[in-house]
Amino acid sequence: MKYHLINIEQSADWDEWVHTAVNYDFYHTWHYHSLEKNGEPLLFVYEESNVFIALPLLKREINNSGLFDLTSVYGYAGPISNLKFSEIHDQLLENFKDAFLSFMKTHGFISVFSRLNPFIDQKILIEKIGGIWDNGKTIYMDLSISIEEQRAGYEKRLGRQIRQMRKMPYRIKEANSETEIRLFTAMYTDNMLRLGAGQRYFYDENYFLQLLSHRGNECKLIVIYLEDEMICGAVIMCSGNMIRNHLSATANAYVSHSPSKLLTDEISLIGRQLGKRYFHLGGGLGGKEDSLFKFKSSFSALLMEDSTWRFVSDSLVYNDLVEKRNESANLNYFPLYRVPASALE
């Protein structure tokens, strides 16, 4: 089979493949994967007739089994190529499928989970393998329209609030110092504790320091001050034609003031200054149309389908692993043999 694997030690090779792709995201890069602690990063690369398809993944051991599975980083990853998937002929897509299934069988990978990138036509490829799962809707802004038209699309009350905030003595800036990163980390941690977030959503100061040290300047920390106090902030990602709010937080004492509304509007301006076409706001938690989804939809009515890839390569072994988790079969979780114990209570 015409595939090979790039490991995390091969930084130059990894990013050469990614940067050659016709469309990629910061979530695909070596730098983002180098910060990952929840698995061993690898880049699966299939080549044929001057066409390549690359798929970044994380290898994880399944406890007490001698087996492994594959997942993806937090964010929007999935396969990329030097051609749009719609331009790749059907037989090559089939050949990728055969190569990838052979790879999974050879290395004992029982399943693969990846969140797909809604701005890359990945479904054309993944449909060949199977396992596409509906994860609700995701929201975005079109930054190619005028700022007046963009803001006219805000929910009316939101528009008024942002206009009022623009008159307040808030100071918005890009933060670069270690002191500011430390302040943001503390604010972010407090935010996650207040929300009762799962452990996967917690990041330490070193993580933010390394993330923001990226030489390509694709990650920025944008913060809001009221006088000398940092009250809100977000790590934004600026890659290709896209800008995203990756991780954000509001100081507990200012949650009722909703400075995140002003920050979201400001990020759209930064995207315009950087020449980006889209501001991807994302969706609700777990694909639900919850309060987070409602907040984001107050900025834009533009929606796209959000999907995950949930594929099982060996059903017999998978089902045996699931049985050991007792009453987990009806939960919307994948893979089910990794369902948290708290979800079974």
Side-chain angles (χ1 to χ4, degrees):
M1 292 294 179
K2 305 170 186 176
Y3 74 82
H4 55 277
L5 304 177
I6 306 296
N7 64 46
I8 201 62
E9 303 300 323
Q10 300 169 279
S11 58
D13 292 338
W14 186 301
D15 271 345
E16 183 176 358
W17 288 110
V18 171
H19 293 148
T20 306
V22 67
N23 198 355
Y24 70 91
D25 216 305
F26 188 80
Y27 296 116
H28 294 97
T29 63
W30 175 88
H31 183 78
Y32 189 64
H33 280 79
S34 72
L35 305 178
E36 186 57 56
K37 305 299 182 185
N38 296 315
E40 176 188 338
L42 60 90
L43 185 67
F44 176 91
V45 181
Y46 177 81
E47 289 185 273
E48 180 184 337
S49 303
N50 298 318
V51 176
F52 77 82
I53 299 173
L55 177 59
L57 296 162
L58 302 176
K59 174 183 176 180
R60 301 183 298 183
E61 185 175 359
I62 303 172
N63 291 341
N64 305 316
S65 69
L67 300 170
F68 301 86
D69 61 14
L70 298 163
T71 188
S72 61
V73 291
Y74 175 71
Y76 299 89
I80 53 177
S81 174
N82 57 331
L83 292 179
K84 292 182 178 180
F85 289 111
S86 59
E87 297 173 353
I88 300 176
H89 64 77
D90 195 67
Q91 187 58 56
L92 195 151
L93 298 179
E94 290 286 349
N95 293 346
F96 171 88
K97 169 186 174 180
D98 293 341
F100 186 74
L101 294 182
S102 174
F103 157 71
M104 291 192 72
K105 182 177 180 180
T106 299
H107 295 275
F109 293 120
I110 302 307
S111 68
V112 57
F113 173 89
S114 179
R115 190 166 189 179
L116 299 181
N117 193 308
F119 292 87
I120 303 176
D121 57 345
Q122 298 166 333
K123 284 187 178 181
I124 294 171
L125 172 67
I126 301 302
E127 283 172 345
K128 296 290 182 183
I129 302 173
I132 293 178
W133 189 275
D134 179 19
N135 197 49
K137 301 294 184 181
T138 190
I139 302 160
Y140 70 98
M141 290 184 195
D142 182 356
L143 302 182
S144 68
I145 64 175
S146 69
I147 186 62
E148 292 78 16
E149 187 177 353
Q150 173 189 305
R151 286 171 171 163
Y154 291 178
E155 188 268 330
K156 289 184 178 179
R157 182 167 177 266
L158 170 68
R160 289 195 300 270
Q161 289 175 325
I162 291 175
R163 287 192 295 273
Q164 290 169 354
M165 288 180 180
R166 289 285 178 188
K167 299 175 183 177
M168 297 287 287
Y170 292 126
R171 181 164 53 95
I172 307 174
K173 64 175 295 242
E174 180 178 352
N176 296 303
S177 71
E178 290 189 14
T179 299
E180 287 181 304
I181 293 172
R182 185 177 304 114
L183 288 171
F184 174 78
T185 302
M187 183 170 65
Y188 177 83
T189 301
D190 287 345
N191 211 136
M192 293 300 101
L193 290 171
R194 177 175 56 82
L195 294 172
Q199 192 58 41
R200 62 172 292 201
Y201 295 104
F202 284 80
Y203 300 93
D204 60 19
E205 182 183 339
N206 187 56
Y207 171 84
F208 288 112
L209 284 169
Q210 292 187 60
L211 183 62
L212 292 163
S213 71
H214 184 248
R215 291 188 301 274
N217 202 30
E218 292 177 300
C219 284
K220 301 175 184 291
L221 174 57
I222 309 300
V223 297
I224 298 179
Y225 281 89
L226 180 57
E227 297 181 346
D228 295 327
E229 185 176 5
M230 184 186 294
I231 66 168
C232 187
V235 174
I236 62 172
M237 290 182 169
C238 322
S239 182
N241 62 1
M242 186 76 55
I243 189 168
R244 283 193 176 90
N245 180 341
H246 176 56
L247 296 170
S248 59
T250 299
N252 289 340
Y254 292 90
V255 170
S256 62
H257 296 234
S258 301
S260 58
K261 295 176 180 178
L262 174 60
L263 184 61
T264 302
D265 184 67
E266 184 70 18
I267 293 171
S268 76
L269 297 181
I270 294 171
R272 290 171 177 275
Q273 293 166 4
L274 295 173
K276 304 304 180 185
R277 172 68 189 271
Y278 302 109
F279 176 11
H280 187 197
L281 298 169
L285 186 62
K288 299 176 181 177
E289 294 192 7
D290 54 9
S291 59
L292 178 60
F293 183 92
K294 184 178 180 181
F295 169 79
K296 294 174 179 178
S297 62
S298 66
F299 284 89
S300 175
L302 298 176
L303 303 174
M304 297 182 74
E305 291 183 359
D306 190 20
S307 302
T308 59
W309 182 24
R310 307 180 179 191
F311 178 74
V312 175
S313 62
D314 190 325
S315 297
L316 291 176
V317 175
Y318 178 86
N319 290 335
D320 183 56
L321 291 168
V322 172
E323 285 181 9
K324 297 176 182 178
R325 298 296 290 165
N326 299 320
E327 303 297 325
S328 63
N330 296 320
L331 295 172
N332 180 17
Y333 194 93
F334 188 87
L336 279 170
Y337 54 77
R338 289 190 181 273
V339 64
S342 59
L344 299 175
E345 296 175 355

